[in-house]
Amino acid sequence: MTPQQEAAAVVSAVLADLPRNRGVVVDSPPGAGKSTLVVKAAGHIAETGEPLMIVAQTNEQVDDLVERLALEHPDLPIGRLSAGGYITPGRILAHSNVSVAGKLPDLGDPAVVVATADKWAWIGDRTWPWAIVDEAYQMRSDKLLRIASLFERSLFVGDPGQLDPFSIVDGDRWAGLSWDPVQSAVSVLLRHNPDLPVHRLPVSWRLPASAAPVVSEAFYPFTGFRAGTSHADRSLEFTVNGMRTSYDRALEEAATSGWALYELPSRHTVRTDAEAVQAAAVLAVRLLQRGPVAHSERGSHPVTAARIAIGAAHRDQVAAIRAAGVPEEITVDTANRLQGREYDVTIVLHPLSGRRDATAFHLESGRLCVLTSRHRHACIVVARAGIPELLDAHPSAEPVQLGVPVKFPDGWEANQAVLAHLSKHRVTPVG
Amino acid sequence: MSALTALAQLRAVRDGSAQRITTVRHCHIAPRPLVFIPLKLAGEAAAPLGAMVGTDPHYPRLLVVPQPRNRDLRFAFAADLAEVFLPYIEGFEKTTETVERKTGDPYERCLDAPQILVPNRSAVSFTGMLGRSTRFRRADGPYPVHPSVPLLGRWLTYFADRSQQPGSSLLLAATEALGLHWATGQSGLEDANLAALLGWIAPPAGMSGRRAAEEAEDPLLWPPAGPATDPGFDNEVLGPAVRAYEEAPTERAVERVTQALRTQLEPTWKLMWRAVEELRALPEGARVKDRWEIDRGSFTRFVERITEGGPPQARRDGAVGAAARLAGLERARASYDVQRAHDDPLVMAEYRLTGEAFAGTVTAADPEHTEGEGRSRKLRPLITVETDDPVRLALGTTVGSPDRRGHAAEIVEIADGEITLKITKGMGRGKTPAPGAVPEPGERVTYTSLTDDFQSSASLPDPEQTPWTHGGPPEEYVPSDDDAQEEWS
């Protein structure tokens, strides 16, 4: 089967399962057409004439979905529920079939209503026959608890490899309970309803052939996926010649192989490691100077600043990189905020770079998975040398809790796997 | 760990004495707290061995279990403990005040609440365990206990649960309360040793903190503060004393165990009151009272629950209960962090370092500045603040100030250490700002994006309405004889 056929088969299976089950779960690896599925399922349900509610986690996600729905189904009346301080962006206002309001009655009676989980929690006394919960692995189960009585049956879509939801307080008290409120909505749903069908989208359309196997093996060891394109389909070309500096060599390595590890000498540093921050910023600037052009199955286009992102683990690192002189249009953000986004080239400040210890936060596989799976063409990782040794010195030491299902992948192992691959694309600064 | 705490620890190492990391005290210290030092039998999860407990530093009450493997004796100990705890708690139930509310009926709140002080975090967990093992027991049916035992269990559970609430002072661990205010030159693990921690903070005259902490590691000089006892003591003193009681359960044998435990508990008892003195000597933060008020409210509600004859706290949180508790904890955590920063310039300095706050001098002010025309004309005074802090706030961020309650401003411009702010709240209703509402040139001000705005979370379903995604409605708890048959380690 071609990748297209394979993916289409899964989508039809999902749609066929919908009316037969109270809930259907779809696991979607990075860039596997999750939004496409949501839009398709929404259209499918709307055809039956029954009202549908769609739940996303952030306002940006809601806006993205509304925009895609409005584009694909221009005749479908769509409602967008919003909270107090929300300013409707132009891309939503542009669609005549979208109405925006703070209260349900003010929307008219659209076939599809989209809002964040937080907003839905305030909508009472109405039941929808259908719901779609997007980014369900990012949603904490206590949020699902607040809205679950709103719908009769639901499609849960999300990426199990991304960051787990978290809490600012310690949730150990509930560890092992099947309704642990700090677990994701999907884990709680499946623990109480183990018979629900779980489908998996098999093809990543975003990740290039150079990245899909790496990400799949490291972060989805038992539920692999493949790239929808071949090596020949994607290439990155520089229209300006380089100068053989280490930055240029890193960029060229990334353009050729899809990966580069820009490795600074081993050293323990503060979180906002000045050299690493500088390297990330300079790489981004240099990348733009080289006039990159991306060729893909969708044609060729110059890689502009808007198609480049720099990712880091902490907000102060993001602020430091921003302050190091990165063009305004380049996205610089934390892993949490980069979830669900897509770029041509990404530059990643490795979460463990320069650290003296490897905490559970830094070992969380989802963080590295998000950072290394946002790109369509190439990913450049900036890191201090010595991370494998650091990992060896800090095996996972989290206490084992009774009744908590074992989670894969193991963050420690995933980190090692990614580093092992990156080591083949290492560039070190001269000097 | 934050940069300032790390710095304070380095200084503590250099100077050999603990360093203050706050300017004020952030926890409530009651005028008459109940100090409770429990000991447990080694290798058991919740087998009480003894406890020193009381409100008067000069008259501690020593309770012992001469044979901790004997369950009847354990529950007799719980009944003895209830004799100390329950009258202390009931002493706060009678005097109440009437609290008026903006919405809803006025309600009664106790004027003061009990405060339990234990040495460390393990003692807090043990308090919870003891509560767990006693709250489902009954005065009738199999293995009956004294009626005060289940009531004590519910209170101990209440205090242990409440201690997880950030900012609550109903049950405090001394090492944590001290660690909140001082940094020492030892590791966090070592800070959990009360004697060592107090050694760093208040060493004996002529001795460095480091030396005092080293001395505190000798279990013969400073027996562990519990609940675990010193293995040497277990083998050489406690073991033979318990065996003697086993062979001949006489008054003398009980006295032997009692004396043995007294040697282990008395030093900690003294340390606990020294910790109280040290904490009391710190000036109280401005919002500590507000948090204690919340504690008093919580205490009052639990008193009502007991008076109304509600069931004991469930063994595990249900789906709805867990979500509700999590929402409460998160709210308390956020609010506590903000309140501490607002009360304490040294805590605020942490946020200034991370760029979430800045302090500086007002260089220009336009207090009459307005926005809009006609009826929608609004007073929006502008001020410019000069600062050396590394500001990492985005334009348009709403900031508040610890110097002025109810004051809010928006960041309009950031350029070369000069920040222009537009004041949006807290100027009064007049056409010109209320006197003192707008900072004047030359004034030193602090602004931060941390604000304690209460955003209530959406309501949860009733437990009986738990949806299918979370396992449906839970079974109702019915007390039964099986409660007394639970497996005990």
Side-chain angles (χ1 to χ4, degrees), chain B residues 67 240-250 253 256:
Chain B
Q67 169 49 290
V242 170
R243 263 195 300 281
Y245 172 84
E246 188 80 327
E247 280 156 19
T250 59
R256 187 172 162 192

mmCIF file with all atom_site columns, all heavy atoms in Angstrom, chain B residues 67 240-250 253 256:
data_model
loop_
_atom_site.group_PDB
_atom_site.id
_atom_site.type_symbol
_atom_site.label_atom_id
_atom_site.label_alt_id
_atom_site.label_comp_id
_atom_site.label_asym_id
_atom_site.label_entity_id
_atom_site.label_seq_id
_atom_site.pdbx_PDB_ins_code
_atom_site.Cartn_x
_atom_site.Cartn_y
_atom_site.Cartn_z
_atom_site.occupancy
_atom_site.B_iso_or_equiv
_atom_site.pdbx_formal_charge
_atom_site.auth_seq_id
_atom_site.auth_comp_id
_atom_site.auth_asym_id
_atom_site.auth_atom_id
_atom_site.pdbx_PDB_model_num
ATOM 1   N N   . GLN B 1 67  ? 4.426  -2.404  74.419 1.00 0.00 ? 67  GLN B N   1
ATOM 2   C CA  . GLN B 1 67  ? 4.696  -3.452  73.431 1.00 0.00 ? 67  GLN B CA  1
ATOM 3   C C   . GLN B 1 67  ? 4.017  -3.038  72.128 1.00 0.00 ? 67  GLN B C   1
ATOM 4   O O   . GLN B 1 67  ? 2.833  -3.292  71.925 1.00 0.00 ? 67  GLN B O   1
ATOM 5   C CB  . GLN B 1 67  ? 4.179  -4.809  73.945 1.00 0.00 ? 67  GLN B CB  1
ATOM 6   C CG  . GLN B 1 67  ? 4.155  -5.932  72.912 1.00 0.00 ? 67  GLN B CG  1
ATOM 7   C CD  . GLN B 1 67  ? 5.434  -6.116  72.119 1.00 0.00 ? 67  GLN B CD  1
ATOM 8   O OE1 . GLN B 1 67  ? 5.805  -5.280  71.275 1.00 0.00 ? 67  GLN B OE1 1
ATOM 9   N NE2 . GLN B 1 67  ? 6.145  -7.208  72.385 1.00 0.00 ? 67  GLN B NE2 1
ATOM 10  N N   . PRO B 1 240 ? 15.534 -4.720  74.738 1.00 0.00 ? 240 PRO B N   1
ATOM 11  C CA  . PRO B 1 240 ? 15.491 -5.384  76.047 1.00 0.00 ? 240 PRO B CA  1
ATOM 12  C C   . PRO B 1 240 ? 14.329 -4.899  76.916 1.00 0.00 ? 240 PRO B C   1
ATOM 13  O O   . PRO B 1 240 ? 13.681 -5.706  77.606 1.00 0.00 ? 240 PRO B O   1
ATOM 14  C CB  . PRO B 1 240 ? 16.832 -4.987  76.674 1.00 0.00 ? 240 PRO B CB  1
ATOM 15  C CG  . PRO B 1 240 ? 17.728 -4.667  75.513 1.00 0.00 ? 240 PRO B CG  1
ATOM 16  C CD  . PRO B 1 240 ? 16.838 -4.122  74.450 1.00 0.00 ? 240 PRO B CD  1
ATOM 17  N N   . ALA B 1 241 ? 14.008 -3.585  76.855 1.00 0.00 ? 241 ALA B N   1
ATOM 18  C CA  . ALA B 1 241 ? 12.935 -3.064  77.701 1.00 0.00 ? 241 ALA B CA  1
ATOM 19  C C   . ALA B 1 241 ? 11.589 -3.649  77.275 1.00 0.00 ? 241 ALA B C   1
ATOM 20  O O   . ALA B 1 241 ? 10.775 -4.025  78.123 1.00 0.00 ? 241 ALA B O   1
ATOM 21  C CB  . ALA B 1 241 ? 12.901 -1.535  77.621 1.00 0.00 ? 241 ALA B CB  1
ATOM 22  N N   . VAL B 1 242 ? 11.366 -3.759  75.939 1.00 0.00 ? 242 VAL B N   1
ATOM 23  C CA  . VAL B 1 242 ? 10.095 -4.320  75.461 1.00 0.00 ? 242 VAL B CA  1
ATOM 24  C C   . VAL B 1 242 ? 10.017 -5.805  75.809 1.00 0.00 ? 242 VAL B C   1
ATOM 25  O O   . VAL B 1 242 ? 8.976  -6.308  76.215 1.00 0.00 ? 242 VAL B O   1
ATOM 26  C CB  . VAL B 1 242 ? 9.946  -4.073  73.940 1.00 0.00 ? 242 VAL B CB  1
ATOM 27  C CG1 . VAL B 1 242 ? 8.767  -4.864  73.382 1.00 0.00 ? 242 VAL B CG1 1
ATOM 28  C CG2 . VAL B 1 242 ? 9.769  -2.590  73.644 1.00 0.00 ? 242 VAL B CG2 1
ATOM 29  N N   . ARG B 1 243 ? 11.158 -6.498  75.678 1.00 0.00 ? 243 ARG B N   1
ATOM 30  C CA  . ARG B 1 243 ? 11.171 -7.930  76.036 1.00 0.00 ? 243 ARG B CA  1
ATOM 31  C C   . ARG B 1 243 ? 10.849 -8.137  77.507 1.00 0.00 ? 243 ARG B C   1
ATOM 32  O O   . ARG B 1 243 ? 10.083 -9.023  77.868 1.00 0.00 ? 243 ARG B O   1
ATOM 33  C CB  . ARG B 1 243 ? 12.533 -8.538  75.717 1.00 0.00 ? 243 ARG B CB  1
ATOM 34  C CG  . ARG B 1 243 ? 12.547 -9.252  74.372 1.00 0.00 ? 243 ARG B CG  1
ATOM 35  C CD  . ARG B 1 243 ? 13.753 -10.153 74.219 1.00 0.00 ? 243 ARG B CD  1
ATOM 36  N NE  . ARG B 1 243 ? 15.017 -9.420  74.323 1.00 0.00 ? 243 ARG B NE  1
ATOM 37  C CZ  . ARG B 1 243 ? 15.529 -8.708  73.316 1.00 0.00 ? 243 ARG B CZ  1
ATOM 38  N NH1 . ARG B 1 243 ? 14.901 -8.648  72.156 1.00 0.00 ? 243 ARG B NH1 1
ATOM 39  N NH2 . ARG B 1 243 ? 16.660 -8.049  73.477 1.00 0.00 ? 243 ARG B NH2 1
ATOM 40  N N   . ALA B 1 244 ? 11.384 -7.243  78.346 1.00 0.00 ? 244 ALA B N   1
ATOM 41  C CA  . ALA B 1 244 ? 11.119 -7.356  79.776 1.00 0.00 ? 244 ALA B CA  1
ATOM 42  C C   . ALA B 1 244 ? 9.624  -7.183  80.033 1.00 0.00 ? 244 ALA B C   1
ATOM 43  O O   . ALA B 1 244 ? 9.037  -7.899  80.851 1.00 0.00 ? 244 ALA B O   1
ATOM 44  C CB  . ALA B 1 244 ? 11.919 -6.300  80.546 1.00 0.00 ? 244 ALA B CB  1
ATOM 45  N N   . TYR B 1 245 ? 8.997  -6.241  79.309 1.00 0.00 ? 245 TYR B N   1
ATOM 46  C CA  . TYR B 1 245 ? 7.558  -6.033  79.478 1.00 0.00 ? 245 TYR B CA  1
ATOM 47  C C   . TYR B 1 245 ? 6.797  -7.254  79.007 1.00 0.00 ? 245 TYR B C   1
ATOM 48  O O   . TYR B 1 245 ? 5.824  -7.681  79.624 1.00 0.00 ? 245 TYR B O   1
ATOM 49  C CB  . TYR B 1 245 ? 7.118  -4.797  78.682 1.00 0.00 ? 245 TYR B CB  1
ATOM 50  C CG  . TYR B 1 245 ? 5.622  -4.621  78.655 1.00 0.00 ? 245 TYR B CG  1
ATOM 51  C CD1 . TYR B 1 245 ? 4.971  -3.969  79.716 1.00 0.00 ? 245 TYR B CD1 1
ATOM 52  C CD2 . TYR B 1 245 ? 4.849  -5.122  77.606 1.00 0.00 ? 245 TYR B CD2 1
ATOM 53  C CE1 . TYR B 1 245 ? 3.591  -3.820  79.701 1.00 0.00 ? 245 TYR B CE1 1
ATOM 54  C CE2 . TYR B 1 245 ? 3.478  -4.988  77.585 1.00 0.00 ? 245 TYR B CE2 1
ATOM 55  C CZ  . TYR B 1 245 ? 2.846  -4.335  78.635 1.00 0.00 ? 245 TYR B CZ  1
ATOM 56  O OH  . TYR B 1 245 ? 1.484  -4.196  78.629 1.00 0.00 ? 245 TYR B OH  1
ATOM 57  N N   . GLU B 1 246 ? 7.273  -7.847  77.934 1.00 0.00 ? 246 GLU B N   1
ATOM 58  C CA  . GLU B 1 246 ? 6.635  -9.039  77.366 1.00 0.00 ? 246 GLU B CA  1
ATOM 59  C C   . GLU B 1 246 ? 6.627  -10.162 78.401 1.00 0.00 ? 246 GLU B C   1
ATOM 60  O O   . GLU B 1 246 ? 5.633  -10.861 78.568 1.00 0.00 ? 246 GLU B O   1
ATOM 61  C CB  . GLU B 1 246 ? 7.419  -9.454  76.101 1.00 0.00 ? 246 GLU B CB  1
ATOM 62  C CG  . GLU B 1 246 ? 6.783  -10.542 75.317 1.00 0.00 ? 246 GLU B CG  1
ATOM 63  C CD  . GLU B 1 246 ? 5.657  -10.026 74.427 1.00 0.00 ? 246 GLU B CD  1
ATOM 64  O OE1 . GLU B 1 246 ? 4.955  -9.062  74.796 1.00 0.00 ? 246 GLU B OE1 1
ATOM 65  O OE2 . GLU B 1 246 ? 5.487  -10.613 73.390 1.00 0.00 ? 246 GLU B OE2 1
ATOM 66  N N   . GLU B 1 247 ? 7.748  -10.316 79.102 1.00 0.00 ? 247 GLU B N   1
ATOM 67  C CA  . GLU B 1 247 ? 7.868  -11.405 80.070 1.00 0.00 ? 247 GLU B CA  1
ATOM 68  C C   . GLU B 1 247 ? 7.045  -11.119 81.316 1.00 0.00 ? 247 GLU B C   1
ATOM 69  O O   . GLU B 1 247 ? 6.416  -12.008 81.869 1.00 0.00 ? 247 GLU B O   1
ATOM 70  C CB  . GLU B 1 247 ? 9.340  -11.605 80.438 1.00 0.00 ? 247 GLU B CB  1
ATOM 71  C CG  . GLU B 1 247 ? 10.071 -12.413 79.372 1.00 0.00 ? 247 GLU B CG  1
ATOM 72  C CD  . GLU B 1 247 ? 11.577 -12.152 79.371 1.00 0.00 ? 247 GLU B CD  1
ATOM 73  O OE1 . GLU B 1 247 ? 12.099 -11.646 80.385 1.00 0.00 ? 247 GLU B OE1 1
ATOM 74  O OE2 . GLU B 1 247 ? 12.204 -12.431 78.323 1.00 0.00 ? 247 GLU B OE2 1
ATOM 75  N N   . ALA B 1 248 ? 7.045  -9.876  81.758 1.00 0.00 ? 248 ALA B N   1
ATOM 76  C CA  . ALA B 1 248 ? 6.300  -9.515  82.957 1.00 0.00 ? 248 ALA B CA  1
ATOM 77  C C   . ALA B 1 248 ? 5.721  -8.127  82.791 1.00 0.00 ? 248 ALA B C   1
ATOM 78  O O   . ALA B 1 248 ? 6.417  -7.140  83.009 1.00 0.00 ? 248 ALA B O   1
ATOM 79  C CB  . ALA B 1 248 ? 7.226  -9.560  84.192 1.00 0.00 ? 248 ALA B CB  1
ATOM 80  N N   . PRO B 1 249 ? 4.447  -8.012  82.330 1.00 0.00 ? 249 PRO B N   1
ATOM 81  C CA  . PRO B 1 249 ? 3.866  -6.698  82.064 1.00 0.00 ? 249 PRO B CA  1
ATOM 82  C C   . PRO B 1 249 ? 3.532  -5.941  83.355 1.00 0.00 ? 249 PRO B C   1
ATOM 83  O O   . PRO B 1 249 ? 2.365  -5.755  83.690 1.00 0.00 ? 249 PRO B O   1
ATOM 84  C CB  . PRO B 1 249 ? 2.631  -7.022  81.237 1.00 0.00 ? 249 PRO B CB  1
ATOM 85  C CG  . PRO B 1 249 ? 2.316  -8.440  81.486 1.00 0.00 ? 249 PRO B CG  1
ATOM 86  C CD  . PRO B 1 249 ? 3.536  -9.121  82.019 1.00 0.00 ? 249 PRO B CD  1
ATOM 87  N N   . THR B 1 250 ? 4.521  -5.548  84.058 1.00 0.00 ? 250 THR B N   1
ATOM 88  C CA  . THR B 1 250 ? 4.311  -4.868  85.340 1.00 0.00 ? 250 THR B CA  1
ATOM 89  C C   . THR B 1 250 ? 4.470  -3.359  85.156 1.00 0.00 ? 250 THR B C   1
ATOM 90  O O   . THR B 1 250 ? 4.942  -2.892  84.120 1.00 0.00 ? 250 THR B O   1
ATOM 91  C CB  . THR B 1 250 ? 5.357  -5.321  86.380 1.00 0.00 ? 250 THR B CB  1
ATOM 92  O OG1 . THR B 1 250 ? 6.645  -4.990  85.829 1.00 0.00 ? 250 THR B OG1 1
ATOM 93  C CG2 . THR B 1 250 ? 5.260  -6.799  86.645 1.00 0.00 ? 250 THR B CG2 1
ATOM 94  N N   . ALA B 1 253 ? 7.995  -2.531  84.387 1.00 0.00 ? 253 ALA B N   1
ATOM 95  C CA  . ALA B 1 253 ? 8.406  -2.766  82.997 1.00 0.00 ? 253 ALA B CA  1
ATOM 96  C C   . ALA B 1 253 ? 7.941  -1.612  82.118 1.00 0.00 ? 253 ALA B C   1
ATOM 97  O O   . ALA B 1 253 ? 8.661  -1.153  81.231 1.00 0.00 ? 253 ALA B O   1
ATOM 98  C CB  . ALA B 1 253 ? 7.839  -4.086  82.502 1.00 0.00 ? 253 ALA B CB  1
ATOM 99  N N   . ARG B 1 256 ? 10.141 1.256   82.601 1.00 0.00 ? 256 ARG B N   1
ATOM 100 C CA  . ARG B 1 256 ? 11.445 1.113   81.937 1.00 0.00 ? 256 ARG B CA  1
ATOM 101 C C   . ARG B 1 256 ? 11.369 1.583   80.482 1.00 0.00 ? 256 ARG B C   1
ATOM 102 O O   . ARG B 1 256 ? 12.228 2.329   80.007 1.00 0.00 ? 256 ARG B O   1
ATOM 103 C CB  . ARG B 1 256 ? 11.872 -0.357  82.002 1.00 0.00 ? 256 ARG B CB  1
ATOM 104 C CG  . ARG B 1 256 ? 13.272 -0.575  81.486 1.00 0.00 ? 256 ARG B CG  1
ATOM 105 C CD  . ARG B 1 256 ? 13.741 -1.988  81.730 1.00 0.00 ? 256 ARG B CD  1
ATOM 106 N NE  . ARG B 1 256 ? 14.897 -2.300  80.875 1.00 0.00 ? 256 ARG B NE  1
ATOM 107 C CZ  . ARG B 1 256 ? 15.371 -3.519  80.712 1.00 0.00 ? 256 ARG B CZ  1
ATOM 108 N NH1 . ARG B 1 256 ? 14.821 -4.542  81.338 1.00 0.00 ? 256 ARG B NH1 1
ATOM 109 N NH2 . ARG B 1 256 ? 16.411 -3.724  79.927 1.00 0.00 ? 256 ARG B NH2 1
#
